[in-house]
């Protein structure tokens, strides 16, 4: 036998092993692996042979020497310890057994996208060396045990993801004992709880940078706890049923870059407190009951890449200062009571991909300079009071796939330049006062709706050759010819 790469394994009981050469794994750790394997139906794990050998408890196989799939070892001289179990999405089905505590050097446990049950979380409580725990989307149905909050157990834990499970009876106060935590994701866990004030107390979660508690029932939560999380860069508490206001002290969380408080009842009449978050790059306040005006100081948050403030009772006008957000990629402010015009300053948003200002009371002409925003993929300005003609410059937007200008007061012809947009798949211009003929569109159009206008002339034959078309409505115009799928008449064509 080769001494450097092979060791004789003597199985004493349930995989207890002793190596007489290198890669010696303590027998107790092999026992812990054995119980874990059996408790989670190891014979049925979905392992890829290319990623390493299956676990094999016999006299010729050592976990570290054979590099069992999903295991990582740390070896010093001739002694090895199991430091990582990583088996995400491998059909690990069953309960994490208490014997996993026989792996005292385990630092990483990654079992997400499996089917765990029983008291799996309780079993984990004995792993004092754990720094990384990811069990998201694993069908867990239990409360987070109080032992998780014991600082003497998880003093090293920096990453915790238990999202997309059923933890509905959990008390969030356990997290106040995880003082080393950097990343915590408990989203979509069916929890009905309140974020305890200890979250924001000095020294409790001093390193926390990522916090996702979204899609739960955190009804009684006071958002002022955020003010104490000075290292926080990511906060998602959307769809939590929170009834509160964004506190003025939020400026103390000055490192925040991502904040989503959508689908809550925030009752803020003034969100200018957010202007004191200079690192903000994502602002999500959709359907959050934000009312009042959009503060002009938002335009000073020059790192913003996304603004989502749709479906709020906002009043006033669209601030022209938003045009200063040259890094903005997504602007969604729809379903509001906003009036006024789209300022030409918005044409400075040279990285914009999506412009959604629909279902409001905006008016005036569409700025022709929108045609220089060559990264635009979606323009949704429907259900407003825009007037004038459709700018022919929009035909320069080669990446534009959706143009929705329906239900406005637009007039004049449909610009022929729109037919030259190679990516255009959805064109909705219905319910306006457009006149003249329909240009000859071709390509991969999926939806064309120009009904309820003043269009005339022959229906273009190119419409009949669009094999990808899923919806076409030309009705209630003054058109002649055939619709090519059904026989259509002068004033009605519907495909």
């Amino acid at each position: 036998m080769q001494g450097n790469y092979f060791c004789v394994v003597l199985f004493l009981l349930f995989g207890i092993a002793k190596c007489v050469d290198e890669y010696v794994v303590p027998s107790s750790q092999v026992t812990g692996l054995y119980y874990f394997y059996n408790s989670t139906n190891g014979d049925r794990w979905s392992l890829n042979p290319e990623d390493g050998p299956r676990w094999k408890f016999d006299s010729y196989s050592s976990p570290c020497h054979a590099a069992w799939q999903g295991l990582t070892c740390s070896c010093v001289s001739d002694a090895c310890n199991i430091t990582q179990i990583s088996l995400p999405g491998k059909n690990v089905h069953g309960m994490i057994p208490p014997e996993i505590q026989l792996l005292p050097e385990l630092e990483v446990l990654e079992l997400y996208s499996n089917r765990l049950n029983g008291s799996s979380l309780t079993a984990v409580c004995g792993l004092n060396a754990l720094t990384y725990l990811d069990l998201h989307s694993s069908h867990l149905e239990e409360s987070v045990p109080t032992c998780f909050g014991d600082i003497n157990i998880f003093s090293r834990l920096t990453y915790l993801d238990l999202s997309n499970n059923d933890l509905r009876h959990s008390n969030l106060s356990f997290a106040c004992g995880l003082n080393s935590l950097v990343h915590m994701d408990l989203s979509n866990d069916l929890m009905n709880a309140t974020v305890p004030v200890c979250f924001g107390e000095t020294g409790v979660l001093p390193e926390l940078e990522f916090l996702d508690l979204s899609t739960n029932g955190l009804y009684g939560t006071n958002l002022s706890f955020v003010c104490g999380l000075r290292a926080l860069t990511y906060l998602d508490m959307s769809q939590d049923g929170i009834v509160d206001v964004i506190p003025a002290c939020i400026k103390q969380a000055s490192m925040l870059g991502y904040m989503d408080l959508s689908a809550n009842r925030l009752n803020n009449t003034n969100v200018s407190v957010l202007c004191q978050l200079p690192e903000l790059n994502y602002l999500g306040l959709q359907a959050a009951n934000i009312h009042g005006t959009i503060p002009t100081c938002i335009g000073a948050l020059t790192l913003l890449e996304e603004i989502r403030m749709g479906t709020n009772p906002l009043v006033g006008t669209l601030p022209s200062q938003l045009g200063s957000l040259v890094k903005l990629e997504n602007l969604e402010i729809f379903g509001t009571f906003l009036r006024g015009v789209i300022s030409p300053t918005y044409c400075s948003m040279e990285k914009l991909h999506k412009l959604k200002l629909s279902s409001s009371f905006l008016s005036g002409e569409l700025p022709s300079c929108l045609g220089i925003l060559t990264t635009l993929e979606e323009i949704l300005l429907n259900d407003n009071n825009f007037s004038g003609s459709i700018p022919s410059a929009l035909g320069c937007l080669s990446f534009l796939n959706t143009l929705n200008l329906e239900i406005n007061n637009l007039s004049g012809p449909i610009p022929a330049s729109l037919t030259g947009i190679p990516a255009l798949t959805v064109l909705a211009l219905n319910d306006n006062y457009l006149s003249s003929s329909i240009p000859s569109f071709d390509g991969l159009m999926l939806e064309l709706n120009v009904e309820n206008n003043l269009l005339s002339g022959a229906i273009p034959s190119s419409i009949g050759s669009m094999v990808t078309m899923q919806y076409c409505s030309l009705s209630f115009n003054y058109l002649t010819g055939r619709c090519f799928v059904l026989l259509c008449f002068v004033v009605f064509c519907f495909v």
Side-chain angles (χ1 to χ4, degrees):
M1 288 187 266
Q2 296 179 352
N4 290 336
Y5 298 98
F6 191 78
C7 61
V8 178
V9 183
L10 301 176
F11 266 61
L12 304 178
L13 178 64
F14 298 128
I16 298 178
K18 180 179 181 182
C19 298
V20 298
D21 207 335
E22 291 188 333
Y23 305 105
V24 178
V25 178
S27 58
S28 59
Q29 293 189 31
V30 178
T31 301
L33 293 176
Y34 179 82
Y35 276 101
F36 174 78
Y37 182 87
N38 284 339
S39 182
T40 59
N41 293 284
D43 290 341
R44 297 183 180 181
W45 292 353
S46 302
L47 302 182
N48 186 346
E50 296 180 357
D51 295 332
R54 301 185 69 90
W55 297 17
K56 189 176 182 181
F57 296 90
D58 59 27
S59 59
Y60 299 100
S61 181
S62 168
C64 299
H65 174 261
W68 289 358
Q69 189 170 155
L71 291 187
T72 299
C73 300
S74 176
C75 300
V76 177
S77 187
D78 63 346
C80 293
N81 288 296
I82 307 298
T83 58
Q84 178 170 334
I85 299 177
S86 182
L87 295 167
K90 301 298 185 182
N91 195 38
V92 177
H93 188 176
M95 184 184 75
I96 299 175
E99 288 79 7
I100 199 170
Q101 298 174 19
L102 295 173
L103 305 174
E105 304 301 320
L106 194 68
E107 298 175 359
V108 175
L109 183 58
E110 193 174 37
L111 300 174
Y112 62 84
S113 299
N114 285 296
R115 198 171 189 88
L116 302 176
N117 54 42
S119 301
S120 291
L121 290 177
T122 301
V124 172
C125 281
L127 299 174
N128 293 30
L130 209 62
T131 63
Y132 188 105
L133 177 60
D134 191 347
L135 304 179
H136 82 259
S137 308
S138 290
H139 295 85
L140 291 169
E141 296 183 3
E142 58 178 307
S143 298
V144 179
T146 55
C147 57
F148 265 63
D150 188 337
I151 192 172
N152 297 314
I153 294 178
F154 286 131
S155 61
R156 302 180 187 178
L157 192 67
T158 61
Y159 186 103
L160 176 64
D161 190 345
L162 301 178
S163 60
N164 298 303
N165 286 294
D166 185 349
L167 310 178
R168 68 182 68 198
H169 300 299
S170 298
N171 188 325
L172 283 172
S173 60
F174 78 87
C176 297
L178 303 177
N179 300 152
S180 298
L181 211 58
V182 175
H183 180 113
M184 179 163 62
D185 191 345
L186 300 175
S187 60
N188 196 30
D189 277 330
L190 302 177
M191 288 190 294
N192 293 296
T194 299
V195 178
V197 294
C198 60
F199 267 45
E201 292 178 354
T202 303
V204 174
L205 295 169
E207 309 296 330
L208 192 65
E209 298 177 3
F210 182 104
L211 178 60
D212 191 344
L213 299 175
S214 62
T215 320
N216 285 293
L218 309 181
Y219 304 108
T221 295
N222 187 318
L223 288 172
S224 60
F225 80 88
V226 178
C227 306
L229 301 176
R230 306 299 175 84
L232 200 65
T233 62
Y234 183 105
L235 175 66
D236 191 347
M237 298 189 68
S238 58
Q239 301 184 69
D240 276 332
I242 296 171
V243 181
D244 197 15
V245 297
I246 302 173
C249 64
I250 200 169
K251 64 183 180 182
Q252 297 173 16
S254 59
M255 300 300 292
L256 263 178
Y258 182 106
M259 185 175 71
D260 194 348
L261 300 175
S262 300
N264 288 295
R265 293 186 58 83
L266 299 181
N267 298 318
N268 279 75
T269 56
N270 186 349
V271 293
S272 60
V273 293
L274 301 178
C275 299
Q276 301 181 67
L277 298 174
E279 302 296 320
L280 209 59
N281 59 65
Y282 181 99
L283 177 58
L285 293 173
Q286 197 154 295
N289 198 40
I290 297 294
H291 43 285
T293 60
I294 300 174
T296 59
C297 60
I298 295 290
L301 299 176
T302 55
L303 297 182
L304 273 172
E305 297 177 3
E306 293 197 47
I307 296 177
R308 295 186 175 180
M309 297 180 67
T311 319
N312 284 296
L314 295 166
V315 296
T317 60
L318 278 172
S320 61
Q321 289 83 355
L322 296 186
S324 300
L325 304 176
V326 295
K327 293 187 177 182
L328 203 66
E329 298 180 5
N330 190 348
L331 178 60
E332 297 186 33
I333 307 177
F334 60 91
T336 71
F337 298 106
L338 292 173
R339 300 180 181 273
V341 302
I342 299 177
S343 170
T345 61
Y346 285 31
C347 299
S348 298
M349 300 175 182
E350 57 185 20
K351 294 187 178 181
L352 201 62
H353 292 286
K354 183 175 183 178
L355 178 63
K356 185 173 183 179
L357 304 174
S358 55
S359 303
S360 294
F361 295 87
L362 302 175
S363 58
E365 297 189 359
L366 302 178
S368 60
C369 60
L370 291 176
I372 67 173
L373 300 179
T374 55
T375 57
L376 269 173
E377 298 174 4
E378 296 180 68
I379 297 178
L380 303 147
L381 303 176
N382 51 289
D383 294 88
N384 279 291
N385 295 317
F386 292 116
S387 58
S389 60
I390 299 173
S392 60
L394 297 183
C396 299
L397 303 176
S398 57
F399 294 106
L400 191 68
N401 60 64
T402 301
L403 178 59
N404 190 339
L405 302 176
E406 66 184 13
I407 314 178
N408 277 289
N409 296 313
L410 298 169
S411 59
I414 299 174
S417 61
L418 299 184
T419 65
I421 303 176
L424 192 63
T425 56
V426 176
L427 180 61
L429 304 176
N430 52 286
D431 295 279
N432 281 288
Y433 297 95
L434 300 173
S435 58
S436 192
S437 60
I438 300 175
S440 295
F441 288 94
D442 52 20
L444 301 176
M445 188 79 75
L446 298 176
E447 179 180 332
L448 174 63
N449 190 347
V450 295
E451 68 182 20
N452 289 326
N453 278 288
L454 304 173
L455 299 168
S456 59
I459 298 171
S461 59
S462 61
I463 292 178
S465 63
M466 293 184 185
V467 295
T468 58
M469 187 74 76
Q470 297 176 358
Y471 180 87
C472 174
S473 181
L474 316 177
S475 59
F476 303 106
N477 283 289
Y478 300 95
L479 301 167
T480 60
R482 296 177 181 270
C483 228
F484 304 101
V485 176
L486 298 174
L487 289 179
C488 304
F489 299 97
V490 175
V491 293
F492 178 83
C493 176
F494 182 84
V495 178

